[in-house]
């Protein structure tokens, strides 16, 4: 009846409508309604608009209801009727949360934006609005929408998954916004915690996103790497925190007390699981003897209780609890048997890991004979802090192919960066840590696709938020060319090398020191004064050098050169026969030569990018490595290609610089153009992100300067680095005259 | 110009020396061969370098040895602004003119004390060279200002302490200085002994001392991974002293270890969590 009524030409307003649209508004509402009804979108849309429009007017304002009308039309045209019909109710949900008009206006705009760029994704976004706004504020919602559009560029399937919140990046973002504690937030702490507890420094990495699900739910280890889930969904922030600590303490107990992997041989999955359980209990017992506080960390995660379904995993969880918690009582015969066997064997020789195998094997058989259901495919170790057991088994026959591949995948992701200790403070007596040695793996040259070494957040200036782990940074082995070409380059203009060396060596960048016995200065040198007066009293001529002053006498500085090798650097410099890259290379070679001669620590790396999933980073020379012919060959071999995702490269170079322990640390970018990448349209986006990356480094006391070659780059470069931190030129001859300006900034 | 002869100076300063004698035995728990080694080195008057991290008992050890050998001990804490005159001595002005004032090193050389230069790398290299002539077979100290060359008393010995984990390129001993010394290595004692020391020095139960030592080991694992140095025996004793006054152990550790040792909030968190694992 309502619908028929609505279809009528110019119906009178209902009582409620009159309330919602007092006075003047009534006429406007009538017009808006009429527009929708007569546009031919169908009755469902018109009815939805009429019903929810009124409510929206009451809840928010009459304007909001009119704005809704425009948005309904827009959606009906761009995203289809289903989307348009869902809009009014979703708008109500949006208005119901932060009931500020401004937010609602922005919400309409965002929905329309999605309708234009990703029409297929409008329905899931509208359906999710209520849930999203329960977690996100207005800006967070905007960040989410923009992320979804950027993540699924040209890939409607991906976008759909994102806006349905099935996509990992979407989930991850929401988890973080919901305040869930994830690995990223705890990473630094957890690494130090692990080292403090166990005196070991394995690489600790988040499980790669592309890993199969069962590997992403629990910690695991192998090959010197500990892999950690990105988050433990379903746990509160506080619990997640404890869970991560508990998990790393547990893995450490294995590293310490599980001396060699168990051969899997022909054991059945259930036996493997039970043996692992016994071994878990054994190593934890030993760990608690050394670190009694671990009991309080682990015990709360053992929630198993008598009762429940008669399935193997249930009993196993109860046995696990019985073995860590002496006060736990359990009537089950199998649990009691396990307990008795364990206590007896542990009392006899706690260091004997073979007993885990023996007892576990027995108990596993018992379970098998009880014909309890056990599904190896869906089995996940309990409780949640325990590792997935792959680390303590040796599947020689590669029975567990998936696991094996996983190990390899992580194996290749290992890099030297993290394990390298450039700042080794104990130069006199380096205590060789065998574990550290084990973890040193170099990049293999044949690594065609690069090795994923880190994910970095990117800053979205439009929302003022970070997109967590947005960029995948991959290290590639640089190609090499003849090292002699670098020497030739330098020989061509030997005078430049000399001038530059002289300039750098003259710069004094260090803490101030007090120098005494000067003819003039900022303070009186008391010792010299006393001496002078004594000499005078003795009737001799006093030494006039009675002053002292503060001076910087040395250079305590390290420099990281970061070379942009994106495609544009392959073009010729205006009015010359050399490419930009040639000049970049020449500048880097000149500086490297000078710094190497002076003994200043320095590193060189190059970068380019091909979407956020492939930011390429090429190490030419590391701080800890010599500037030898191999390094020069890598410098000579740099080639131009792809785009310029500056922020991620700066962040990665910054990570290296952070571990340097000089008085000042300098990142020097050599580039020719503005940051850009094929998956970004917004011209300001990467500029602002780079600016944020520079700020972050500045906050850590690292200076970031830019040499802008041959370009109009100056203006954008000034935005990123600050006006005084950029020098621009296009002929290499200008380097010696331009560089001092930057060095001077360091002493300011 | 007035000046005293060596004998006059000794006469004038005999009382002064008394304050450098060590009356009662300083508690020192031997950790290895160090007492025998030092004994032998002293018999040969060999200059000795005590090498090891801060707060591991070097100072206490010299005190103990001075007592054992019945020698006065003159200790100098070295610092960046210290000059050669601070060690050797200088003329001072007084009402009647100028008067020479022996520095601590000169005093020890004259009177036959053990001179302990604590944290020697803190002093600048041009300062530390004054000990060169005392640490080879000349055993003399030239007092240039006074135009005098002072031969060392037969009982005189130089001992320096040196923390190898500490120095940067800018702060290190000259090779020519290093090579004059014999060295005795110190490190934190093994857990049982360290706990014994902590229990005694802080007056806490052995159980608490054991826990403190476990905690110290956690922090020492972080050396080179965020910390320049782990918690020293001295820090443990400090934590123990607070605990003995009724402060809960976790709080005592915060005050005496975690907060002093690092300003990095992540490391503090990690340490705090590791401390919880120890108790
Ligand atoms: N072996 C030891 N025996 C007795 N006390 C010790 C020993 N080692 C360390 N200590 C205690 O540690 C504290 C700090 O040692 P100290 O000698 O001052 O360190 P260092 O001179 O090496 O910096 C001492 O005051 C003492 O209480
Ligand atoms: Mg385990």
């Amino acid at each position: 009846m309502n619908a028929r009524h609505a279809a009528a030409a110019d119906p009178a307003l209902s009582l409620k409508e009159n309330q919602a649209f007092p006075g003047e508004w009534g006429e406007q509402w009538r017009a808006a309604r009429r527009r929708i009804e007569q546009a031919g979108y169908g009755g469902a849309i018109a009815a939805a608009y009429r019903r929810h429009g009124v409510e929206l007017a009451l809840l928010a304002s009459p304007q909001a209801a009119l704005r809704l009308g425009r948005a309904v039309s827009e959606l009906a045209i761009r995203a289809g009727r289903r989307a348009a019909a869902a809009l009014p109710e979703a708008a109500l949900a949006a208005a119901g949360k932060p009931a500020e008009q401004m937010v609602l206006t922005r919400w309409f705009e965002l929905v329309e934006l999605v309708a234009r760029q990703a029409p297929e994704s409008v329905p899931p976004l509208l359906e999710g609005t209520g849930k999203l706004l329960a977690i996100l504020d207005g800006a967070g919602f905007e960040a989410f929408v923009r992320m979804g559009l950027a993540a699924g560029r040209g890939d409607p399937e991906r976008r759909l998954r994102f806006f349905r919140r099935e996509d990992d990046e979407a989930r991850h973002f929401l988890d973080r916004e919901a305040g869930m504690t994830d690995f990223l937030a705890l990473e630094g702490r957890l690494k130090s915690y692990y080292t403090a507890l166990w005196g070991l420094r394995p690489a600790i990495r988040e499980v790669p996103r592309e890993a199969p699900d069962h590997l992403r739910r629990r910690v695991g280890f192998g090959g010197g790497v500990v892999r950690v889930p990105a988050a433990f969904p379903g746990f509160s922030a506080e619990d997640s925190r404890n869970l991560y600590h508990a998990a790393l303490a547990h893995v450490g107990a294995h590293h310490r007390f599980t001396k060699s992997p168990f051969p899997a041989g022909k054991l059945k999955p259930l036996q493997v699981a039970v043996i692992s359980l016994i071994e878990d209990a054994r190593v934890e017992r030993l760990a608690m003897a050394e670190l009694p506080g671990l009991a309080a960390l682990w015990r709360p995660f053992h929630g198993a209780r008598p009762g429940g379904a008669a399935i193997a995993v249930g009993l196993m969880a109860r046995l696990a609890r019985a073995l860590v918690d002496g006060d736990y009582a359990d009537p089950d015969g199998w649990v009691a048997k396990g307990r008795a066997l364990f206590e007896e064997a542990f009392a006899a020789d706690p260091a004997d890991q073979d007993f885990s195998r023996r007892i576990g094997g027995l108990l596993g058989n018992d379970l098998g004979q009880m014909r309890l259901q056990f599904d190896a495919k869906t089995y996940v170790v309990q409780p949640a802090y325990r590792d997935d057991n792959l680390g303590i088994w040796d599947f020689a026959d590669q029975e567990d192919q998936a696991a094996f591949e996983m190990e390899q995948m992580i194996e290749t992701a290992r890099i030297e960066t993290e394990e390298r200790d450039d700042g080794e403070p104990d130069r006199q007596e380096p205590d060789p840590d065998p574990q550290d040695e084990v973890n040193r793996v170099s990049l293999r040259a044949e690594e065609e696709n690069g090795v994923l070494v880190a994910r970095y957040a990117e800053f979205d200036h439009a929302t003022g938020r970070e997109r967590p782990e947005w960029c995948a940074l991959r290290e590639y082995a640089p190609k090499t060319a003849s090292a002699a070409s670098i020497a030739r380059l330098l020989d061509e203009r030997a005078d430049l090398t000399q001038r530059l060396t002289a300039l750098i060596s003259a710069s004094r960048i260090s803490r101030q020191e007090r120098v005494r016995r000067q003819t003039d200065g900022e303070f009186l040198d008391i010792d010299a004064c006393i001496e002078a007066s004594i000499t005078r009293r003795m009737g001799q001529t006093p030494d006039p050098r009675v002053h002292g002053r503060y001076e910087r006498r040395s250079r305590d500085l390290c420099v990281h050169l970061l070379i942009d090798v994106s495609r544009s650097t392959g073009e010729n410099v205006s009015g010359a026969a050399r490419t930009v890259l040639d000049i970049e290379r020449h500048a880097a070679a000149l500086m490297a030569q000078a710094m190497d001669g002076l003994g200043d620590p320095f590193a060189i790396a190059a970068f380019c990018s091909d979407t956020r999933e492939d930011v390429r980073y090429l190490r030419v020379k590391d701080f800890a490595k010599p500037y030898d012919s191999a390094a020069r060959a890598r410098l000579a071999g740099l080639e131009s290609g792809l785009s310029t995702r500056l922020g991620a490269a700066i962040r990665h170079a910054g990570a290296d610089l952070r571990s340097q322990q000089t008085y000042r640390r300098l990142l020097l970018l050599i580039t020719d153009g503005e940051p850009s990448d094929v998956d970004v349209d917004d011209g300001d986006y990467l500029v602002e992100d780079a600016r944020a990356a520079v700020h972050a480094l500045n906050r850590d006391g690292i200076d970031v300067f830019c040499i802008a070659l041959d370009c109009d780059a100056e203006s954008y470069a000034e935005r990123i680095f600050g006006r005084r931190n950029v020098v621009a030129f296009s002929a290499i001859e200008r380097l010696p005259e331009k560089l001092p300006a930057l060095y001077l900034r360091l002493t300011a | 110009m007035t000046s005293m002869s060596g004998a006059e100076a000794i006469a004038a300063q005999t009382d002064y020396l008394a304050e450098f004698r060590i009356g009662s035995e300083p508690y020192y728990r031997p950790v290895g061969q160090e007492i025998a080694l030092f004994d032998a080195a002293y018999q040969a008057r060999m200059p000795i370098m005590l090498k090891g991290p801060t707060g591991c008992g070097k100072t206490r050890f010299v005190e103990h040895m001075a007592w054992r050998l019945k020698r006065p001990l003159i200790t100098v804490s070295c610092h960046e602004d210290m000059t050669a005159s601070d060690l050797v001595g200088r003329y001072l002005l007084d009402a009647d003119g100028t008067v020479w004032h022996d520095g601590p090193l000169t005093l020890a050389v004259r009177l036959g004390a053990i001179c302990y230069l604590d944290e020697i790398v803190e002093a600048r290299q041009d300062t530390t060279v004054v000990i060169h002539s005392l640490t080879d077979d000349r055993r003399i100290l030239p007092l240039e200002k006074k135009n005098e060359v002072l031969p060392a008393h037969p009982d005189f010995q130089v001992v320096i302490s040196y923390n190898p984990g500490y120095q940067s390129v800018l702060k290190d001993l000259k090779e020519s200085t290093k090579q004059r010394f014999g060295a005795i290595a110190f490190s934190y004692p093994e857990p049982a002994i360290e706990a014994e020391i902590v229990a005694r020095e802080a007056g806490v139960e052995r159980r608490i001392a054991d826990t403190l030592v476990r905690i110290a080991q956690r922090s020492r694992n972080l050396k080179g991974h965020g910390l320049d140095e782990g918690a020293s025996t001295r820090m443990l004793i400090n934590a123990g002293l607070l605990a003995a006054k009724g402060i809960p152990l976790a709080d005592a550790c915060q005050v005496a270890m975690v907060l002093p040792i690092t300003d990095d909030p992540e490391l503090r968190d990690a340490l705090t969590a590791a401390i919880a694992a120890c108790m």
Side-chain angles (χ1 to χ4, degrees), chain A residues 203-222:
Chain A
I204 298 180
R205 297 255 145 76
E206 191 172 305
V207 183
R209 289 149 194 265
E210 48 274 37
D213 215 34
H214 70 277
L215 287 168
R216 302 177 41 188
R217 306 234 286 266
R218 294 287 182 264
V219 290
F221 60 94

Side-chain angles (χ1 to χ4, degrees), chain B residues 26 33 46 53 56 67 79 81 100-101 105 115 125-126 190 200 240 264-265:
Chain B
Q33 296 297 305
M46 182 193 293
C56 71
W67 171 83
H79 57 87
D81 283 338
W100 173 260
H101 196 90
L105 180 64
C115 183
Q125 293 180 345
D126 53 341
E190 65 171 78
R200 176 174 161 143
D264 177 340

Side-chain angles (χ1 to χ4, degrees), chain A residues 250 254 276 280 386-387 389 392:
Chain A
H250 177 82
H254 278 306
S276 304
D280 282 345
R386 286 193 173 165
D387 64 285
N389 290 331
I392 61 168

Side-chain angles (χ1 to χ4, degrees), chain A residues 189 196 290 293 514 527 531, chain B residues 81 90 214 221 269 277 279:
Chain A
R189 278 156 242 251
E290 253 176 58
R514 196 198 295 227
D527 280 325
E531 235 166 71
Chain B
D81 283 338
R90 55 167 57 96
R214 267 204 301 273
N221 283 339
D269 272 12
M279 307 200 275

Side-chain angles (χ1 to χ4, degrees), chain A residues 188-189 192-193 195-197 199 201 245 290-294 421 425-429 514 516 527 530-531 534, chain B residues 81 83 90-91 93 97-98 145 164-165 167 214 218 221-225 266-267 269-270 273-274 276-279:
Chain A
R189 278 156 242 251
S192 297
Y193 178 68
T195 305
L197 285 194
R201 192 85 179 169
H245 283 89
E290 253 176 58
L291 302 168
L294 292 179
D421 260 341
D426 198 354
R427 290 181 299 120
Q428 299 296 313
E429 293 156 322
R514 196 198 295 227
R516 299 167 181 279
D527 280 325
I530 294 174
E531 235 166 71
I534 287 166
Chain B
D81 283 338
T83 61
R90 55 167 57 96
Y91 279 109
L93 298 172
T98 62
K145 306 255 172 59
Q167 75 291 84
R214 267 204 301 273
R218 307 281 83 75
N221 283 339
L222 288 171
K223 175 174 176 179
H225 299 291
E266 294 202 340
L267 266 180
D269 272 12
C278 294
M279 307 200 275

